[in-house]
Amino acid sequence: MKRLLILVLAGVALAVALAHLPGCTAMKSGGVTGDAAQKVYVKPGEHDTYYAFLSGGHSGQIYVYGMPSCRHITTIPVFTPEPAVGYGNDVESKAMLGGLTWGDAHHPGLSETAGDYDGRWLFINDMPNARIARIDLSDFKTHQIFGPIPNLSAAHACPFPTPNTEYVFAASRFSVPVPNRQVKIEEYAKDFRGIIAGVKVDPKDGTMSLGFEILMPPFDYDLADAGKGPSEGWEFFTCYNSEMAYDSLEIKASQNEMDYFAAVDWKAAQKAVDDGKATMINGAPVLDPAKVKGIVYLTAVPKSPHGVDVDPSGQYICCSGKLQAEVSVYSFAKLQAAIQGGKFDGDKMGVPTLKYEDVLEAKVPVGLGPLHTQFDGKGYAYTSLFLDSQIAKWKIGPPWNVVDKIDVYYSIGHLMASEGDTRHPTGDYLVALDKLSKDRYLNVGPTHPEGAQLIDLRGPKMQLLYDFPTYLEPHYAQMIKAEKLKPFTVYPLEKNQKPGAVLSADDIRIERKGNRVDVYGIVVRTHFAPDIVKVNQGDEVYFHWTNLEQDDDIAHGFGICWSSKNMQIEPGETKTITWTAEKVGINPFYCSNFCSALHQEMQGYIEVRPKGSPLSAVQRPDANLVAQVAAEMKR
Ligand code: K7E
Ligand code: CUA
């Protein structure tokens, strides 16, 4: 039955694709009308009103755009080294990456206070390595990478913060044996398990730590959203593959009419761990719902659901069955009533199951291939339709009808509304994150950019404003009012506590111990001090550079010739990078980041002597240079 549906849907997709072949003029203009250009025009020198954070998918990064201009402002390196700034190259960020140089980042999650974005942190998942990163929005830098989370394979339903950022979550997209060991894959249902993990966030500084894990049936957990308002304290997760197939999933995992969404009472789960009801597996406190009751429930959802999205009021849970032309809207009140009334129709490995009709509030006939839903705060929801390449706008509440549709180009995945995951979406803009851009941009060969489109939500009908390409490959994104963020632009030198920082000219020195050499130096317009470094072949050299600048936008670089070593040092910052003196001879280094009229003069030399050459344990720069730096420090 489902197989047939897939074929039908595939046929529809083909028809849609054919209707959109190049040459059709309606497609070329993409339905853009009259005043669209004015609405995206941000005058030179003026700023956008929103920051948009787009996940970088398998680039492992986060892209920052300004809205409504759709200008790419910067990229924040997160899970992947970034040579221009030295991310993953300096000692500290290299350690944070933990030896991994790749991530697949799907879902940015802005921190919230009372259900609204508060502008403190941005979390994002690395699915394949089951990690979560925290970016501090005071400096737009990655400050923590938590994980790999034990026992959990592929954190896709992740991180989706709670309304006061007590937790971020992760759930396994691919089940594996827990604890992982060699088993027969054919014994999947017996040995494999899913995991839902609650990761605690320290309210003071955002530091993540593991709160609890829940052992789940080996389904594929797909997406999540936090309850809010009346549903605060709960987190919801969709899953597909309740068939528990382990091969040919496209057919075998599409057999059942119903899959599930899981509802986790995270306060109850944490309490159960605190009460000692967990078993430690690989260092993680794991709760087994067969033994610990009242922490998780499953409710039937038609046809391989993807997105789960809680409306701003917190009353409704909207699930999109991708092989169905409807969004299933569930009532949190009904869910509670069914749980309280014990209306279970069985269980799956100890997790009580609830009936579809007992929890369902409405079915909204949105169109083909529904994936994700967003909200405008004015009583409407917007669902992306992958197969129809459309967005459907529908009314939350009776008669639960579709009131508008708009074409997008093409094959939309996620969509994001301005402050759309909060209790108070602003209802200004929507961005369609299209999976295929095909013919929308200049041809650059077989790998096309991804397509994103800005849509105005302020009128009664959705209005397409602008197309912009993105690099591989945004999944989800979030948009926050620009006025909520006030990132600082220089690190105050007086607060610099980094080991290796040089805050006085007298501290500039080169120290040797065995074959380790530590260079404690400063960078400032327009020189390095020291700019002559003498080492022996085989020495392991640690360069600790402190940037004395306290002016905006004066970063210096440190690049070493004949090496892969480069990093940027921002105003007031201290960073360390290591380099091994492999060859006897002279090795130049230079400032790689344009900093002033004399940037080109900002350079130095490393003299590499033969192994065992006599060198003093401490080298200091000459007195003139020290005096010059001392004067610079007073400025
Ligand atoms: Cu692409 Cu959220 Cu990973 Cu949907 S996911 S489309
Ligand atoms: Cu310092 Cu260029």
Side-chain angles (χ1 to χ4, degrees):
M1 166 63 204
K2 255 191 185 174
R3 176 89 181 127
L4 184 66
L5 184 70
I6 294 170
L7 292 173
V8 171
L9 290 178
V12 172
L14 185 65
V16 169
L18 288 173
H20 286 150
L21 276 180
C24 162
T25 47
M27 182 279 301
K28 280 288 178 209
S29 63
V32 172
T33 52
D35 58 351
Q38 271 162 287
K39 288 180 171 175
V40 296
Y41 188 65
V42 175
K43 279 189 209 148
E46 290 187 358
H47 292 168
D48 283 291
T49 48
Y50 286 94
Y51 285 96
F53 297 98
L54 278 61
S55 75
H58 46 296
S59 82
Q61 317 292 47
I62 283 184
Y63 309 135
V64 184
Y65 281 76
M67 296 288 154
S69 74
C70 305
R71 293 179 291 192
H72 176 222
I73 303 173
T74 195
T75 294
I76 306 173
V78 185
F79 296 113
T80 306
E82 209 295 302
V85 295
Y87 184 79
N89 211 349
D90 72 274
V91 167
E92 208 176 329
S93 59
K94 190 176 179 182
M96 192 166 61
L97 286 176
L100 293 165
T101 56
W102 175 63
D104 190 354
H106 282 232
H107 305 115
L110 287 159
S111 60
E112 296 180 13
T113 299
D116 287 315
Y117 300 150
D118 58 24
R120 287 183 296 166
W121 309 304
L122 177 66
F123 298 90
I124 190 159
N125 63 326
D126 162 21
M127 177 179 65
N129 298 304
R131 296 181 297 170
I132 307 175
R134 187 188 78 252
I135 291 114
D136 199 324
L137 293 175
S138 68
D139 67 353
F140 277 57
K141 298 284 191 315
T142 304
H143 283 254
Q144 188 190 5
I145 294 179
F146 179 76
I149 300 169
N151 305 318
L152 193 156
S153 160
H156 188 258
C158 181
F160 302 99
T162 53
N164 285 300
T165 321
E166 299 96 334
Y167 283 84
V168 288
F169 289 88
S172 23
R173 176 169 161 203
F174 312 126
S175 290
V176 290
V178 176
N180 207 342
R181 59 201 186 274
Q182 198 264 311
V183 299
K184 287 204 179 78
I185 290 181
E186 294 73 16
E187 294 178 359
Y188 181 92
K190 177 169 146 282
D191 290 322
F192 286 52
R193 288 295 177 273
I195 289 283
I196 291 176
V199 175
K200 276 192 218 172
V201 178
D202 186 305
K204 288 190 303 296
D205 59 11
T207 301
M208 291 176 277
S209 61
L210 191 55
F212 60 84
E213 290 191 352
I214 303 176
L215 206 56
M216 295 294 289
F219 309 154
D220 292 44
Y221 297 87
D222 204 12
L223 276 142
D225 202 7
K228 53 186 93 146
S231 54
E232 183 163 356
W234 292 74
E235 185 89 10
F236 307 101
F237 300 84
T238 46
C239 68
Y240 57 97
N241 193 24
S242 58
E243 295 86 347
M244 299 189 276
Y246 53 84
D247 65 348
S248 308
L249 258 67
E250 64 166 330
I251 299 165
K252 293 183 184 171
S254 302
Q255 302 296 314
N256 291 351
E257 284 301 313
M258 295 280 182
D259 292 288
Y260 296 100
F261 80 86
V264 171
D265 181 341
W266 52 261
K267 289 180 182 163
Q270 187 63 61
K271 184 167 184 303
V273 169
D274 297 344
D275 290 349
K277 294 182 181 164
T279 307
M280 294 303 286
I281 303 177
N282 290 321
V286 181
L287 297 165
D288 181 351
K291 296 177 195 142
V292 184
K293 298 293 167 196
I295 54 173
V296 58
Y297 304 89
L298 291 168
T299 301
V301 183
K303 306 203 182 290
S304 303
H306 187 55
V308 51
D309 298 282
V310 178
D311 85 306
S313 78
Q315 295 176 72
Y316 300 117
I317 303 146
C318 309
C319 296
S320 303
K322 7 182 226 288
L323 303 178
Q324 192 202 23
E326 291 165 341
V327 170
S328 300
V329 181
Y330 295 85
S331 151
F332 181 73
K334 289 185 182 178
L335 176 79
Q336 285 305 293
I339 293 170
Q340 304 305 329
K343 288 174 87 178
F344 307 126
D345 72 342
D347 72 280
K348 293 281 173 191
M349 298 186 176
V351 185
T353 53
L354 298 164
K355 279 196 214 127
Y356 179 61
E357 51 280 12
D358 285 348
V359 186
L360 190 77
E361 179 73 25
K363 290 191 280 187
V364 187
V366 287
L368 293 177
L371 291 183
H372 297 282
T373 298
Q374 284 276 284
F375 306 95
D376 64 5
K378 297 180 264 191
Y380 294 96
Y382 301 79
T383 299
S384 57
L385 304 170
F386 178 80
L387 293 176
D388 279 346
S389 283
Q390 285 188 318
I391 294 169
K393 173 181 178 179
W394 51 275
K395 189 168 185 311
I396 306 169
W400 299 98
N401 60 331
V402 172
V403 298
D404 189 23
K405 279 195 178 179
I406 193 169
D407 290 338
V408 289
Y409 305 86
Y410 306 90
S411 306
I412 181 171
H414 274 276
L415 72 183
M416 69 133 162
S418 42
E419 308 222 332
D421 283 304
T422 68
R423 294 215 69 188
H424 304 98
T426 59
D428 288 339
Y429 301 108
L430 188 69
V431 173
L433 295 153
D434 304 327
K435 289 295 179 197
L436 304 174
S437 68
K438 291 188 192 172
D439 52 2
R440 301 292 280 187
Y441 303 99
L442 287 173
N443 186 341
V444 288
T447 297
H448 299 245
E450 307 304 315
Q453 297 184 291
L454 184 70
I455 292 163
D456 191 350
L457 297 184
R458 291 167 294 183
K461 292 203 150 282
M462 291 178 274
Q463 183 190 11
L464 177 60
L465 298 181
Y466 202 64
D467 271 25
F468 60 103
T470 60
Y471 189 60
L472 306 177
E473 179 191 61
H475 289 261
Y476 191 40
Q478 284 187 330
M479 219 197 290
I480 180 173
K481 274 193 176 157
E483 67 198 24
K484 288 189 180 176
L485 301 191
K486 302 259 183 309
F488 57 79
T489 52
V490 301
Y491 293 93
L493 267 175
E494 66 273 14
K495 286 195 187 158
N496 185 331
Q497 310 245 332
K498 283 278 173 70
V502 171
L503 301 169
S504 141
D506 293 331
D507 285 343
I508 298 170
R509 68 204 186 276
I510 302 168
E511 290 179 357
R512 327 178 36 83
K513 260 191 203 136
N515 72 337
R516 171 170 170 154
V517 177
D518 285 278
V519 179
Y520 298 96
I522 60 98
V523 291
V524 70
R525 276 164 289 177
T526 326
H527 59 87
F528 293 89
D531 58 358
I532 302 287
V533 176
K534 297 182 180 181
V535 301
N536 286 343
Q537 187 184 24
D539 283 354
E540 184 79 29
V541 189
Y542 287 69
F543 289 96
H544 314 276
W545 294 115
T546 299
N547 183 343
L548 292 186
E549 310 280 355
Q550 293 285 274
D551 290 338
D552 269 20
D553 210 7
I554 307 294
H556 296 284
F558 175 64
I560 306 179
C561 293
W562 299 305
S563 84
S564 300
K565 301 294 181 176
N566 179 58
M567 65 176 180
Q568 202 188 49
I569 311 111
E570 294 184 323
E573 189 182 37
T574 298
K575 266 194 190 166
T576 298
I577 199 166
T578 62
W579 172 83
T580 306
E582 274 165 8
K583 278 194 189 145
V584 171
I586 301 299
N587 206 119
F589 61 86
Y590 73 105
C591 174
S592 54
N593 195 78
F594 205 100
C595 52
S596 76
L598 295 175
H599 156 78
Q600 212 68 350
E601 280 76 0
M602 194 165 170
Q603 64 175 64
Y605 286 109
I606 310 165
E607 181 183 315
V608 184
R609 302 173 169 196
K611 250 187 199 128
S613 302
L615 271 171
S616 57
V618 180
Q619 302 168 41
R620 293 196 185 271
D622 73 61
N624 287 337
L625 186 54
V626 173
Q628 186 188 338
V629 173
E632 281 156 358
M633 284 178 159
K634 287 215 186 73
R635 272 208 310 255

